[in-house]
Amino acid sequence: QLLKLPQGKSCYILDIGCGSCLSSQQISRQGHIWMGCDISRDMLCLGLNKSKRSGADLFESDIGYGVPTRPGVFDGAISISAVQWLCVKQNRYQNPQKRLIRFFRTLRKCLAFDARAVLQVYPEDTKQMDALLNSARTSGFQGGLVVDYPKSMRAKKFYLCLWKPETYKKKPTKRDEKDFAAFGGAAADDDSVDYNDDNECDAEKNNSKKKSKKRRKNNE
């Protein structure tokens, strides 16, 4: 409903952090085609049979490195409880602000014009919520936050409802800079943030490989 997909037309949807593809099945029931990505290979293996029945593709990816797909191919994107993890520094090589910017900018590129992204998130606090919103807006998205069951402590859900406008000429405002500085970085426009920072990505990947080798060695 929040995606506002055209009725009677089969659309191509990206499921970010698809896990075992439970949410993706609902997309198939609505008559749409989807592609799923997740950082966990084990979860993707659990969802492999579901994706085969739907004729969908799956790929393993850390969205903090960006969304590695062709530009303008998706008519919409969804995510359930995945994007907020970009706000968390998992190791000393990661920069949450850069990972957020890299994700939102590459997500914007892979969406068609006027396509929407609906991202369900569970931020730890208002600081993380502000970081998510400002990263999305600084990256060229329009939209905002939708709160479902706002008066309920247990059932409350947060949705980032974003869409890609046909043009993007936004420069960061003083408020953007203030919010990003509070989060541990600085706001930036398209020219001043290297969101394809190969050195940072390589450092993260090498660190992950070292941890995997260490775990295999300990298991032996």
Side-chain angles (χ1 to χ4, degrees):
Q1 184 179 0
L2 293 174
L3 281 176
K4 294 187 177 180
L5 298 173
Q7 293 186 358
K9 178 184 175 182
S10 180
C11 297
Y12 195 25
I13 309 298
L14 175 64
D15 189 353
I16 302 162
C18 62
S20 60
C21 303
L22 290 174
S23 58
S24 307
Q25 286 183 300
Q26 186 62 31
I27 299 174
S28 298
R29 294 189 187 103
Q30 298 295 325
H32 302 299
I33 307 167
W34 56 275
M35 176 184 285
C37 72
D38 200 278
I39 193 173
S40 170
R41 185 172 299 183
D42 292 336
M43 294 299 289
L44 290 174
C45 288
L46 290 175
L48 194 57
N49 289 333
K50 299 184 184 76
S51 67
K52 286 182 178 179
R53 287 195 297 268
S54 303
D57 294 317
L58 300 176
F59 64 95
E60 181 182 352
S61 177
D62 179 353
I63 57 174
Y65 298 146
V67 183
T69 63
R70 290 182 291 121
V73 295
F74 294 106
D75 301 306
I78 65 168
S79 178
I80 297 178
S81 189
V83 178
Q84 76 272 0
W85 292 107
L86 294 177
C87 298
V88 181
K89 189 173 182 178
Q90 304 287 349
N91 58 56
R92 64 191 178 94
Y93 301 104
Q94 290 184 351
N95 183 321
Q97 181 229 341
K98 283 188 176 182
R99 286 166 63 80
L100 283 167
I101 291 291
R102 192 185 301 126
F103 164 68
F104 280 113
R105 286 188 178 168
T106 53
L107 175 62
R108 178 174 60 86
K109 286 184 178 181
C110 79
L111 292 175
F113 288 124
D114 287 331
R116 292 174 180 261
V118 178
L119 315 174
Q120 184 181 346
V121 294
Y122 292 94
E124 290 184 357
D125 48 35
T126 55
K127 186 178 177 181
Q128 286 191 2
M129 192 73 257
D130 289 342
L132 290 165
L133 280 168
N134 288 318
S135 296
R137 290 168 178 166
T138 303
S139 300
F141 278 110
Q142 294 181 2
L145 183 67
V146 174
V147 183
D148 202 8
Y149 302 107
K151 295 183 179 180
S152 173
M153 294 299 294
R154 299 182 65 181
K156 186 186 296 185
K157 295 180 181 178
F158 297 91
Y159 297 91
L160 277 176
C161 296
L162 311 170
W163 65 88
K164 176 182 177 178
E166 291 192 9
T167 58
Y168 170 52
K169 297 181 180 179
K170 179 180 182 300
K171 293 291 183 180
T173 63
K174 290 184 178 180
R175 181 177 179 180
D176 290 332
E177 293 174 358
K178 182 179 178 181
D179 290 336
F180 273 104
F183 189 63
D189 57 24
D190 282 341
D191 297 324
S192 60
V193 165
D194 184 6
Y195 58 91
N196 288 315
D197 189 341
D198 294 332
N199 293 329
E200 179 190 349
C201 291
D202 289 342
E204 289 183 42
K205 290 176 181 177
N206 290 335
N207 185 54
S208 298
K209 288 180 181 178
K210 288 178 181 178
K211 286 184 177 180
S212 298
K213 287 181 181 179
K214 188 175 180 180
R215 282 197 296 268
R216 285 198 296 268
K217 189 175 180 181
N218 291 336
N219 291 334
E220 292 174 358

